[in-house]
Amino acid sequence: MVVNFEKIKEATINGEQHIVKKLTQEAVKQGAKAEQIIQDSLISAMSHVGEKFGAGTIYIPEMLRAARAMKFGMEVLKPLLVGNKVHTLAKVVIGTVKGDMHDIGKNLVGIMLEGSGFEVIDLGIDVSVNQFLTAIKKHHPEFLAMSALLTTTMEKMKIVIDGLEEAGLRPKVKVFVGGAPVNQSFADEIRADGYGANAGKAAELMKGMLK
Ligand code: B12
């Protein structure tokens, strides 16, 4: 039987949580790779939903339903991505910046990092500068990863980096930034150490920095 990525995508767009879960389980049984289901079905669905929202043909409730449905698919896939890692490469503190409630991309980055052997301390969404600084003082991570999905919240990343500098913590932690509106030139501008366009890239770049 051929895996129908398009069906999972459609069910995600329509917010059909249980169908997404069932179809994702079936796809895994049929041998589909978790990464491909995420990319071709789940992320693809969110891009579609984002376009529709941007065009004004769907509204927040539909966007929210799709996001929840995606989480049902991710629940099935997470154990396959994380596996059983016995040792920790390095610690990463991760969070979505203040004023921003988007967490799907951030969670995906966290899952991929865990799957690559990192210990992930997830501060959640709407994380203030102080919360980031407190977590860094407490956990002494090698990396800080910040996510922002809004053009109005991406500036908060710079404020956190400034805060790290003021607190004398900047040399102790490598800062990674990401999220749909973020790009390499923005990362350079705010003096971040790294930018990743997707979750896999983040893990790959961080691993590279440990060598
Ligand atoms: C789902 C969604 C929501 C859900 C979020 C649910 C949740 N739990 O996350 C809800 C309904 C709550 C929501 C609310 C809003 N949303 Co919204 N939302 C989206 C949508 C459709 C999908 C986002 C998503 O999950 N994508 C899938 C994930 C996997 O992709 P990703 O987040 O980009 O993450 C990947 C990479 O960017 C990267 N990455 C992400 N973070 C990091 C971090 C690091 C360190 C690294 C290295 C990499 C990395 O790796 C990830 C995996 O590959 C986008 C459209 C879009 N195309 O992005 C709009 C979108 C982001 N939302 C938008 C808007 C406007 C809003 C609202 C302001 C709407 C409103 N009027 O209230 C509110 C804001 C609420 C708030 N204060 O945050 C706009 C933003 C416009 C802009 N330029 O700022 C978008 C682009 C829609 C649009 N086309 O207009 N939203």
Side-chain angles (χ1 to χ4, degrees), residues 58-80:
I58 65 158
Y59 302 97
I60 294 173
E62 286 97 326
M63 201 151 73
L64 206 49
R65 274 201 292 276
R68 289 203 186 116
M70 175 167 181
K71 287 190 176 174
F72 273 66
M74 283 309 300
E75 269 171 35
V76 176
L77 301 174
K78 186 176 172 182
L80 303 177

Side-chain angles (χ1 to χ4, degrees), residues 46 50 60 63 99 101-105 147 149-151 178-179 196-199:
M46 298 317 290
I60 294 173
M63 201 151 73
M101 311 298 160
H102 295 86
D103 68 355
I104 296 174
S147 182
L149 263 285
L150 300 171
T151 43
N198 57 56

Side-chain angles (χ1 to χ4, degrees), residues 15-50:
E16 295 164 326
Q17 304 174 350
H18 298 287
I19 297 178
V20 172
K21 185 173 176 184
K22 190 170 147 270
L23 292 176
T24 305
Q25 283 165 336
E26 278 173 20
V28 170
K29 270 198 201 130
Q30 285 162 18
K33 286 244 174 319
E35 287 85 353
Q36 194 182 356
I37 303 172
I38 291 173
Q39 201 55 52
D40 294 353
S41 303
L42 303 178
I43 292 187
S44 176
M46 298 317 290
S47 305
H48 178 88
V49 166

